[in-house]
Amino acid sequence: MRCVRIWFDKVGDVKYISHLDLMRCFTRAIRRAGIPLWYTEGYNPRPYMQFALPLSLGMQSVCESVDIRVEGDITDEEIFERLKDVMTSGINIKRVTEPVYDPKKIAFGDFYLTFRGTSDPDRLEKLINDSLAADSFIVEKPAKKGRQKIMKQINLKEYIKHSFVRRDGGDIICNLVLPAGSSVNINPSLFSEKIIELYGERTAVDILRKRLLLDNMKEFK
């Protein structure tokens, strides 16, 4: 029995499926592919499957991974070839490797937010740049107080590790590196939703996660 890491993209309409549905999708695809998956022991055996950092609903990613344990002498190349042929559209299997870092070491996510369809891209671009240059950018983040759910105000500027803004025709693309680990996790939609509120006009926003990073800013492998 050995552990392998399957790397994949989650793009297109599958961004709307939940993490639980994603787990079911992989379990069924692995069975169809005939991959000798290792199951836990006990009264309720289940396949070992660990996703590096579950993606929020509605976001796309080109850096997703899941660890599984396989039995027998099947190679990484065989797993890749079998799995990519049976996987559903929008989940693109990229490669299969030996795990290098523990997913618990993930500390940051590298996100690209694309604001589309605005009637005044110049004003929106200035608003984004001014917000990133300001000393504070207050947003409301869901939190818990005991068993009660509350909304907590935070200064998002304290959490942004890196940022830049560029234009692509009428679209504005904003890159943010934010905490994305088990201890602190900042959803980039907190930024985009506040920007749209300040802008005062409904604007479509696509969020793409391009990389997962360790605390030393090395890429998760």
Side-chain angles (χ1 to χ4, degrees):
M1 182 265 291
R2 67 187 182 93
C3 187
V4 298
R5 182 161 290 165
I6 301 167
W7 296 90
F8 64 97
D9 298 338
K10 186 184 178 189
V11 294
D13 290 341
V14 294
K15 68 183 180 180
Y16 296 114
I17 70 171
S18 69
H19 179 61
L20 182 59
D21 287 334
L22 182 65
M23 292 177 64
R24 290 171 179 156
C25 178
F26 263 90
T27 301
R28 292 167 182 167
I30 289 170
R31 287 173 180 165
R32 286 197 300 270
I35 296 169
L37 192 61
W38 178 83
Y39 281 74
T40 60
E41 299 176 351
Y43 291 106
N44 185 27
R46 56 185 178 81
Y48 173 84
M49 191 174 295
Q50 182 183 20
F51 288 82
L53 192 67
L55 195 65
S56 297
L57 196 68
M59 293 186 191
Q60 302 183 82
S61 174
V62 292
C63 65
E64 297 303 282
S65 72
V66 57
D67 293 351
I68 64 171
R69 291 176 182 172
V70 296
E71 297 182 308
D73 56 359
I74 188 169
T75 66
D76 293 348
E77 291 75 17
E78 286 178 296
I79 296 172
F80 169 75
E81 291 296 335
R82 291 188 193 184
L83 198 54
K84 74 180 180 65
D85 290 337
V86 299
M87 186 54 73
T88 186
S89 176
I91 300 177
N92 307 318
I93 306 300
K94 299 165 72 173
R95 62 189 183 278
V96 177
T97 66
E98 180 182 350
V100 177
Y101 299 116
D102 189 319
K104 293 179 182 178
K105 293 187 177 296
I106 295 171
F108 298 98
D110 190 8
F111 298 95
Y112 283 74
L113 292 70
T114 302
F115 295 78
R116 306 184 186 279
T118 174
S119 61
D120 192 348
D122 290 334
R123 182 167 72 88
L124 180 56
E125 182 181 17
K126 184 178 185 303
L127 173 61
I128 294 172
N129 278 315
D130 288 348
S131 298
L132 291 172
D135 292 333
S136 65
F137 188 78
I138 305 301
V139 300
E140 288 193 333
K141 183 180 186 296
K144 282 187 177 182
K145 187 176 182 180
R147 295 184 178 181
Q148 184 181 4
K149 293 182 179 180
I150 62 171
M151 297 301 292
K152 176 183 177 182
Q153 286 194 339
I154 64 169
N155 180 7
L156 195 61
K157 283 297 298 292
E158 295 178 358
Y159 297 94
I160 298 175
K161 189 75 173 180
H162 167 79
S163 66
F164 79 81
V165 181
R166 66 179 176 87
R167 286 282 289 274
D168 182 11
D171 298 340
I172 296 100
I173 300 173
C174 178
N175 172 224
L176 298 175
V177 174
L178 295 167
S182 55
S183 57
V184 182
N185 200 316
I186 302 295
N187 193 316
S189 65
L190 295 176
F191 179 82
S192 59
E193 289 171 1
K194 185 66 175 181
I195 287 293
I196 292 172
E197 178 187 331
L198 295 172
Y199 182 59
E201 178 184 320
R202 201 64 205 166
T203 302
V205 183
D206 295 329
I207 301 179
L208 175 69
R209 188 164 73 186
K210 281 200 172 182
R211 295 185 302 160
L212 291 172
L213 305 167
L214 309 180
D215 191 52
N216 58 7
M217 302 308 289
K218 284 186 177 180
E219 192 166 353
F220 174 72
K221 296 180 181 179

